Amino acid sequence: MAALKIILTVLLVIAEVFLIVIVLLQPGKTAGISGSIAGGAETFFGKNKARSYEGKLQRWTKISAGAFIALNIILVLVNKLA
């Protein structure tokens, strides 16, 4: 049981670091006054947003956050059983 705790803890730390890096790589959403003036340009790029760099980062953020939550729950359950 101790080996399982160590493995889960290592996986949790890896997921934490990965989540932090992914969130820090994402660009800011604030465009300021230029975003309100040129807001119509986003509708063209909005169609292919899932294929863009930002879309991929958002997808990986969701996946890594889900893995982080799942690993935390599993680790708590393992600690309760031990």
Side-chain angles (χ1 to χ4, degrees), residues 9-64:
T9 305
V10 168
L11 287 174
L12 183 64
V13 169
I14 291 171
E16 290 169 354
V17 170
F18 187 71
L19 183 60
I20 290 169
V21 168
I22 290 295
V23 168
L24 289 176
L25 283 175
Q26 291 184 3
K29 298 286 182 185
T30 58
I33 199 159
S34 63
S36 63
I37 294 171
E42 280 192 40
T43 57
F44 176 73
F45 295 113
K47 295 178 182 177
N48 294 324
K49 189 172 183 178
R51 292 188 219 159
S52 70
Y53 176 72
E54 294 158 358
K56 290 177 184 177
L57 282 178
Q58 287 179 353
R59 187 175 334 128
W60 278 107
T61 302
K62 292 175 187 174
I63 292 169
S64 61

